[in-house]
Amino acid sequence: MTGRSYRVSADIGGTFTDIVFQDADTGDCEAHKVLSTPDNPALAVIEGVDRHVPAGADVAFFVHGTTVGLNAVLTRRGARVALLTTQNYRDVYTIQGNDRGEIFSIHWRKPRPLVEIPDTYTVNERINAKGEVETALDERELDRLIAAVRDKNYEAIAVCLLFSFKNPAHELAVEAYLRKHLPDIAITLSHRVSPEWREFARTSTTVMDAYAAPVVRRYLDTLVSRLSARLPEGRQLHVMKSNGGAMTAGAATEMPLQTLLSGPVGGTIGGRTLAETTGRPNLICVDMGGTSFDASLIIDGQPSASNEAELEGLPIQMSVVDIHVIGAGGGSIAWQEAGALRVGPQSAGSVPGPACYGRGGTEPTVSDANLVLGRLDSSNFAGGSMTLDRDKARMAVKKLADRFDMSTEAMAQGMIDIINAKMADAIRTITIRRGIDPRDFALVAYGGAGPAQAAALAQQLDIKEVIIPVMPGAFSAWGMLQTDVRHDFKMTYYGYWHEIAPEDLAEKFDSLEENGRDYLRKEGFTDAEISFERFADFRYHGQEYVLTIPVPAGPVDLNAVRGSFDAAYERQYGHSSPDAVVEVANLRVAALGTLERPAIPDPLASQRTAARGRKVYFDGIEHETAIVNRSEIAAGETVEGPAIIEEATATTLLPPDWRAEVIAGGQLLLTHR
């Protein structure tokens, strides 16, 4: 044993897997990249840990973000699921909602469900809207489902009975009966994954959990079996949740749905830490990796979040950090369609990768274009772990340029301009289209490719400040180390707000908090490490959808909470109705388990090396450009553009008329002169 102890995080991307490990005593962090292994994502994580965490050292805490469940849904490679629901309600999931995703499109079709009608079964039972049993469960009818599971090789069962969120007795009885006859089949109950109303959304949520469950469990079993020996006795691996918290691998196997959006959420949580340390409460966080571009918001120091999401057109009822994702990354392929140049969403990924990787890729990508323009150092990519082939990059870009009768450099610049326009439009989707002015925010750019495009994005959106965090290429993984364990509990609680009895409301919140306290105690947290946040879903009488409003701890001041709802409604929609009747629909509690973590020291500047430079293209014009090592820039020091600031995990492009300064925490602040 070395006596050293580390906190480790891993972010599994489409091209690279980022590993960050932090000395549990000193707080010092290091970041490394390894190529992802799409056939078994766990292998890249294991390789990164084995290669970079010293042999014999303890891993005191391990957390990672995974897209295994998400990819299973997107590629329709999840489990074969049987759906069980109440008799006469078989078609709720297939009929779906009455809304149209694209109102004016004659080509729009409802999304294809994950479970078809032939795989949907019913049972004779009925619980009414008050939670009262009207028709007792007939367990003998479950024998038909049991026979079908054996005959059709179902891997999971989703159970969603009518009004089970008011009274789960029948769902629990179904589970007990099925467990006796099918002990090895994964069973998902709707009242556990989504105890709230809206039958289609609740059914969709339950089915999606069952669909992803076996895939996520197989992945986690591999990871746990290979890494558990590195953990101290009694410690578990953790997985990021879609809500920005973490949970143990054991909890993730019980609730795989919570991992669906866990991959990109680490960057947003890191953004929350940056908002606090830099004194900038409003941030636009953008993560440009090899395959995708993720955009999210920090507003008043907190991540923008929602209590519902949509995946492949199908609703999910769960707490999520709002993240807008498009196919735009360093591996995005440029191609011709109808005489026009397109870039993405297709990606070369890690296999075969961009042409410059020399792994068999021949299509021109954004990374190839940046290399052609002189923006990347071919001999020092991904911390020196890879050497880029400039000739192959140029050949791939030139082949496309010849079709348009353009120079290779002009084509490379055009590819960069197109991908920047796509990313700027993605940012407008989460800002301008929601009534938010991006000029009131600072832009935080990270991911392996983000810092190279950050200044151009800021100029398109008229954003005045850009922040490049420490270790930007692995910032999402770094952000995972800044999170705490979080579990969300909720219940449907309907009524007119002015008629609610405060003591009854307090009793319901206390009950949800007790559930959270019991859950966290089982995960090893003491009462001193446990805290809660309360919320309620409100709407004006006659409306369909809700806004979630914080409810302070202690005795509830109904008027103050009502005022908070009116103010939030005003911010969201530009008007409010203070005299209108308000309804409450759901109560929510976030149970938080505080994780101990060391303070992160400011990075120290290393000794300055000899000045160097090369010719780099900016907006089609070649400039003699200084090449600067980020580790050599001291706190308070500035760098004038044109310059390229290099580090192990990313390259920051500083165009002419831009300036970079090292601010608190070692972050780079980019401003236009």
Side-chain angles (χ1 to χ4, degrees):
M1 299 291 289
T2 67
R4 303 288 291 276
S5 182
Y6 292 92
R7 306 177 76 243
V8 181
S9 60
D11 176 27
I12 303 171
T15 304
F16 285 100
T17 292
D18 302 327
I19 308 291
V20 172
F21 60 98
Q22 179 185 38
D23 190 303
D25 297 319
T26 66
D28 290 327
C29 293
E30 290 187 31
H32 298 276
K33 287 179 175 287
V34 296
L35 284 169
S36 294
T37 49
D39 291 339
N40 187 347
L43 296 180
V45 178
I46 294 164
E47 177 190 351
V49 172
D50 288 344
R51 184 190 300 175
H52 298 293
V53 177
D58 276 341
V59 178
F61 174 71
F62 179 91
V63 60
H64 79 297
T66 174
T67 56
V68 169
L70 175 64
N71 290 340
V73 175
L74 295 177
T75 60
R76 298 287 174 138
R77 294 180 180 176
R80 181 165 167 74
V81 177
L83 170 62
L84 179 71
T85 189
T86 302
Q87 185 173 295
N88 299 325
Y89 289 86
R90 182 196 64 175
D91 298 333
V92 166
Y93 182 55
T94 305
I95 292 173
Q96 303 181 17
N98 59 5
D99 59 322
R100 288 180 58 85
E102 299 176 25
I103 297 176
F104 300 110
S105 173
I106 62 173
H107 300 291
W108 183 83
R109 296 290 183 273
K110 286 188 176 183
R112 182 164 63 93
L114 299 175
V115 173
E116 306 286 353
I117 285 292
D119 300 315
T120 304
Y121 301 84
T122 63
V123 63
N124 186 28
E125 65 84 37
R126 182 62 187 268
I127 289 175
N128 65 24
K130 297 180 180 180
E132 301 165 341
V133 176
E134 290 192 356
T135 302
L137 173 70
D138 187 351
E139 292 182 342
R140 293 171 301 174
E141 292 192 2
L142 297 173
D143 293 338
R144 186 169 68 92
L145 172 59
I146 292 169
V149 169
R150 292 167 175 160
D151 292 342
K152 297 184 178 182
N153 297 317
Y154 290 114
E155 300 173 87
I157 301 172
V159 182
C160 188
L161 303 182
L162 202 64
F163 293 111
S164 59
F165 60 89
K166 296 291 287 186
N167 181 354
H170 284 179
E171 284 195 351
L172 292 171
V174 166
E175 180 187 39
Y177 191 84
L178 293 177
R179 290 272 184 228
K180 285 191 293 186
H181 298 85
L182 302 168
D184 298 325
I185 295 294
I187 300 173
T188 298
L189 305 184
S190 72
H191 78 272
R192 287 180 182 154
V193 297
S194 184
E196 60 179 292
W197 63 358
R198 301 186 190 281
E199 289 307 307
F200 165 52
R202 185 162 57 91
T203 305
S204 174
T205 304
T206 307
V207 169
M208 201 168 293
D209 183 271
Y211 189 76
V215 178
V216 172
R217 284 169 186 158
R218 283 194 294 268
Y219 162 74
L220 289 175
D221 286 345
T222 301
L223 200 62
V224 169
S225 65
R226 296 288 296 273
L227 289 180
S228 57
R230 302 293 298 269
L231 297 174
E233 186 176 356
R235 296 288 180 90
Q236 290 195 58
L237 277 74
H238 286 75
V239 183
M240 284 297 293
K241 299 177 69 173
S242 302
N243 62 15
M247 62 179 168
T248 63
T253 60
E254 295 177 5
M255 299 282 269
L257 183 75
Q258 298 290 338
T259 72
L260 284 190
L261 303 176
S262 76
V265 77
T268 311
I269 301 306
R272 181 182 63 187
T273 302
L274 280 188
E276 181 179 349
T277 59
T278 65
R280 291 166 172 81
N282 297 321
L283 302 174
I284 299 172
C285 300
V286 296
D287 180 359
M288 184 182 182
T291 304
S292 64
F293 176 82
D294 310 325
S296 58
L297 297 177
I298 303 293
I299 301 175
D300 294 332
Q302 295 298 321
S304 175
S306 173
N307 291 314
E308 58 185 6
E310 194 174 87
L311 188 58
E312 290 289 277
L314 299 170
I316 314 171
Q317 291 179 320
M318 68 175 181
S319 297
V320 297
V321 173
D322 286 330
I323 298 177
H324 183 59
V325 183
I326 64 170
S332 294
I333 296 171
W335 50 292
Q336 181 182 8
E337 180 186 53
L341 178 64
R342 311 287 187 191
V343 184
Q346 303 93 331
S347 174
S350 58
V351 180
C356 61
Y357 284 13
R359 296 167 59 90
T362 59
E363 300 295 329
T365 68
V366 172
S367 290
D368 294 314
N370 274 318
L371 186 58
V372 166
L373 295 174
R375 299 175 175 186
L376 300 178
D377 185 347
S378 59
S379 63
N380 187 33
F381 187 72
S385 63
M386 291 182 66
T387 299
L388 302 181
D389 192 323
R390 186 182 181 90
D391 290 337
K392 288 183 177 179
R394 189 172 185 83
M395 188 183 306
V397 176
K398 184 180 185 304
K399 184 178 178 180
L400 184 61
D402 289 344
R403 299 180 195 171
F404 290 87
D405 194 25
M406 298 171 63
S407 70
T408 304
E409 288 75 17
M411 173 55 69
Q413 185 64 56
M415 291 167 58
I416 298 299
D417 290 343
I418 289 173
I419 204 70
N420 285 343
K422 291 181 66 173
M423 294 187 295
D425 194 52
I427 295 173
R428 293 186 185 99
T429 298
I430 64 170
T431 55
I432 294 172
R433 295 181 190 177
R434 298 182 185 177
I436 296 171
D437 190 341
R439 295 174 296 183
D440 296 333
F441 288 68
L443 181 70
V444 179
Y446 49 95
Q453 318 297 138
L457 282 176
Q459 284 189 270
Q460 288 202 31
L461 298 164
D462 201 21
I463 295 173
K464 305 303 181 185
E465 293 184 333
V466 175
I467 298 173
I468 309 297
V470 174
M471 297 185 299
F475 185 69
S476 285
W478 181 88
M480 294 175 191
L481 294 177
Q482 316 310 313
T483 192
D484 292 313
V485 170
R486 171 173 170 163
H487 297 291
D488 291 308
F489 297 85
K490 58 186 177 182
M491 65 179 298
T492 293
Y493 183 79
Y494 178 79
Y496 296 127
W497 185 242
H498 66 279
E499 295 179 354
I500 295 293
E503 57 274 13
D504 183 58
L505 189 66
E507 180 183 335
K508 296 297 189 295
F509 272 126
D510 289 344
S511 175
L512 290 173
E513 289 184 359
E514 192 57 36
N515 291 339
R517 186 176 289 106
D518 289 344
Y519 204 103
L520 289 171
R521 283 171 176 168
K522 292 175 183 177
E523 293 191 331
F525 289 95
T526 65
D527 285 356
E529 297 169 327
I530 297 173
S531 60
F532 302 97
E533 294 176 356
R534 295 177 171 186
F535 306 90
D537 293 347
F538 292 98
R539 63 187 184 187
Y540 289 121
H541 177 59
Q543 294 185 330
E544 176 69 8
Y545 293 98
V546 300
L547 288 180
T548 301
I549 305 300
V551 178
V556 180
D557 184 334
L558 297 182
N559 292 330
V561 175
R562 163 62 195 266
S564 297
F565 167 69
D566 288 329
Y569 198 95
E570 179 80 29
R571 287 193 302 270
Q572 183 80 11
Y573 301 108
H575 65 92
S576 62
S577 302
D579 297 327
V581 174
V582 168
E583 299 171 344
V584 58
N586 303 295
L587 303 182
R588 304 176 186 274
V589 163
L592 306 174
T594 302
L595 294 170
E596 183 179 355
R597 48 183 169 268
I600 300 173
D602 288 351
L604 299 176
S606 58
Q607 185 174 356
R608 182 66 60 90
T609 57
R612 57 195 177 100
R614 64 173 179 263
K615 293 186 182 299
V616 178
Y617 284 86
F618 293 89
D619 293 326
I621 302 174
E622 194 175 42
H623 293 263
E624 187 63 37
T625 302
I627 309 299
V628 182
N629 292 327
R630 180 168 179 173
S631 62
E632 298 174 1
I633 310 173
E637 187 178 350
T638 61
V639 176
E640 303 291 336
I644 288 179
I645 302 173
E646 295 183 341
E647 56 186 304
T649 63
T651 297
T652 299
L653 198 66
L654 196 63
D657 299 327
W658 279 76
R659 173 186 291 116
E661 179 186 358
V662 177
I663 61 173
Q667 325 303 334
L668 273 180
L669 177 66
L670 276 56
T671 54
H672 195 271
R673 294 201 297 268

